[in-house]
Amino acid sequence: MGQQEKVATSLAGAVSEEISASLAPVDAELERRYPGDPGTRQPVHTVYVPGDAFTAGTLRAWGDQALALLDAHAPDAASLAAVLGLADDLAEPVHSRVRAKLEREPVEDLRVDFEDGYGPRPDAEEDTTAARAARLIAEAYRNGTAAPYMGIRMKCMEAAVRDRGIRTLDVFLTGLMEAGGLPGGLVLTLPKVTYAEQVGAFVRLLEAFEKAHGLDAGRLGFEIQIETSQAVLATDGTATVARMIQAAEGRATGLHYGTFDYSACLGVSAAHQSGDHPAADHAKAVMQVAAAGTGVRVSDGSTNVLPVGPAEKVHDAWRLHYGLTRRALSRAYYQGWDMHPGHLPTRYAAVFAFYREGFEQAAARLVRYADRADGDVMDEPATAKALSGYLLRGLDCGALDIAEVARLTGLTRADLESFATPRRGDLTASTH
């Protein structure tokens, strides 16, 4: 035993108390504005289906069409690997898991579209379509055929279509209430937002519906679509999207990048409107920083190049979609849009390859962190949060199985969740 150290201080306890008192409002503001990730499942994609095209069989039809394309153009692991450039050790597990996913859960998040994909219709027709969407979604949740997340994209809050959008939302939500209540996986999407005041107005709308039906305050949340330059940069040079998150008063669940509307808004020619354009990278980077720590998740956009036609064209479209999806994942955009059933095979192939190729390394690093063991990387609590979040996302989408995660880490899902959602103070504490 070494010499007992003498511990001495110079400051009176009142100093610490005074500082804590002065920072109490900041502490409360941090907790309110930056609650952290909710820890719930985030879908890997959102599928948009026009309101008039949505039926009880839509989800299964998308899965069946995707399977048919896979069988026709990449029927086995070797052929899929050749198209996408998968490593040999990934080919079989990725191909088999893609097939299983398309059979079991082809769509993770579906939005019945009443905006661009639906367009202007007679009021009676849109009323009927919105009521039918509510009935079909309620039935799907009752009989176990629903996607994990489902909802609608209404028309925006601009003057020309505002009343129609409000009525469609009212018809849809009222239909759900009359069919038994709001499902747990309900998601609403507010498109073409340009001013934070439009978000605030949407909050008032949701508050009115909750009061009308005796729902808990805050029950209804929504995604904000970022499709205009004004949504990213305000006239005074500040980030409008940050204001939108605050205007949502805790109801915002996601920021979704609108690839084509945003690109067109900036004058990007049609041939260059893509998720990897510099304008897209800038918008998504601003969205990502604005959303960090708020619990609001960021979603990438889509590609409009469809995998249809002869094998060569299908393969080219698949390679493009796979590459864009992998690029987004590496930039921490864990969700995107899919426009066609043929995008599902490459969405899942990209997601599964992303999680499987880094699985063993992430597991080993997390075990070293949990055991406080030394290694070639010195990880901090924030990195442990990222490692466990990576494994949880892999589990949620089907890229990984809990048995293989447990075998390599010795950790349960509850253990992973405890690392993924640490207390605020834990992230500032060093492990060494």
Side-chain angles (χ1 to χ4, degrees):
M1 295 292 292
Q3 179 180 349
Q4 183 70 34
E5 295 292 341
K6 178 183 178 182
V7 177
T9 62
S10 301
L11 300 176
V15 174
S16 179
E17 293 173 3
E18 180 183 348
I19 289 174
S20 292
S22 70
L23 289 177
V26 172
D27 295 338
E29 187 80 345
L30 282 170
E31 290 296 329
R32 184 177 73 84
R33 292 186 183 273
Y34 300 102
D37 189 87
T40 54
R41 177 181 180 180
Q42 181 181 11
V44 302
H45 68 171
T46 301
V47 163
Y48 283 77
V49 176
D52 57 328
F54 176 62
T55 71
T58 292
L59 295 174
R60 188 62 263 155
W62 272 61
D64 290 344
Q65 290 177 56
L67 282 166
L69 272 172
L70 190 65
D71 288 341
H73 299 292
D76 52 43
S79 56
L80 184 65
V83 173
L84 303 181
L86 295 173
D88 291 344
D89 61 332
L90 286 176
E92 178 54 40
V94 166
H95 187 269
S96 62
R97 285 169 187 271
V98 167
R99 281 201 62 86
K101 181 75 170 180
L102 295 175
E103 292 168 354
R104 181 186 75 254
E105 187 184 73
V107 174
E108 292 196 358
D109 183 26
L110 182 136
R111 209 71 70 249
V112 183
D113 191 17
F114 288 90
E115 203 230 357
D116 285 348
Y118 185 73
R121 306 289 180 99
D123 285 339
E125 180 181 346
E126 185 158 338
D127 283 351
T128 299
T129 305
R132 183 169 63 93
R135 176 178 59 81
L136 292 176
I137 288 176
E139 289 174 356
Y141 276 104
R142 277 200 304 270
N143 63 30
T145 61
Y149 300 95
M150 299 183 77
I152 67 167
R153 177 170 71 168
M154 57 180 279
K155 290 177 172 63
C156 70
M157 297 295 282
E158 293 178 356
V161 294
R162 183 184 303 138
D163 289 345
R164 180 63 260 180
I166 290 172
R167 181 173 175 85
T168 296
L169 181 69
D170 188 9
V171 170
F172 174 72
L173 292 178
T174 301
L176 288 177
M177 293 299 298
E178 292 181 347
L182 304 180
L186 175 66
V187 187
L188 307 174
T189 303
L190 179 64
K192 292 185 175 60
V193 185
T194 54
Y195 280 76
E197 288 81 1
Q198 293 169 326
V199 173
F202 196 61
V203 169
R204 303 288 86 78
L205 176 62
L206 298 182
E207 287 176 341
F209 188 88
E210 289 166 351
K211 289 177 183 177
H213 288 274
L215 298 171
D216 292 340
R219 168 63 182 85
L220 290 165
F222 61 98
E223 303 165 335
I224 302 169
Q225 279 201 278
I226 306 302
E227 302 177 88
T228 67
S229 61
Q230 298 93 332
V232 174
L233 194 68
T235 54
D236 62 359
T238 59
T240 313
V241 66
R243 296 180 185 176
M244 291 177 180
I245 292 173
Q246 298 311 312
E249 299 179 17
R251 293 177 184 265
T253 58
L255 301 175
H256 285 227
Y257 176 67
T259 306
F260 305 105
D261 281 296
Y262 187 85
S263 298
C265 181
L266 267 63
V268 179
S269 63
H272 297 283
Q273 292 177 0
S274 176
D276 58 358
H277 191 279
D281 285 339
H282 172 261
K284 287 180 285 189
V286 174
M287 292 162 58
Q288 190 174 50
V289 173
T294 65
V296 178
R297 289 156 165 174
V298 175
S299 173
D300 196 9
S302 60
T303 176
N304 59 1
V305 179
L306 305 184
V308 297
E312 182 179 0
K313 288 193 66 176
V314 171
H315 289 170
D316 286 344
W318 272 354
R319 278 188 285 267
L320 174 65
H321 185 240
Y322 179 85
L324 288 172
T325 303
R326 287 300 308 263
R327 184 179 189 273
L329 290 167
S330 70
R331 286 159 172 76
Y333 308 130
Y334 298 114
Q335 186 175 353
W337 297 11
D338 286 326
M339 309 291 285
H340 186 272
H343 287 145
L344 299 185
T346 37
R347 170 68 61 182
Y348 293 126
V351 170
F352 294 169
F354 176 76
Y355 289 111
R356 292 205 66 81
E357 69 185 16
F359 163 47
E360 292 186 3
Q361 183 185 48
R365 287 178 65 179
L366 190 58
V367 168
R368 286 199 300 271
Y369 174 85
D371 293 342
R372 298 297 193 268
D374 293 329
D376 58 353
V377 178
M378 184 180 293
D379 286 325
E380 298 290 323
T383 306
K385 176 181 177 181
L387 291 168
S388 54
Y390 175 87
L391 297 177
L392 285 168
R393 289 178 186 277
L395 288 169
D396 285 341
C397 70
L400 307 174
D401 298 325
I402 190 62
E404 61 183 344
V405 173
R407 185 173 66 252
L408 288 188
T409 65
L411 302 173
T412 65
R413 184 179 178 99
D415 294 328
L416 295 175
E417 290 173 347
S418 69
F419 285 124
T421 54
R423 295 168 299 176
R424 180 179 300 277
D426 292 342
L427 293 180
T428 61
S430 173
T431 59
H432 295 274

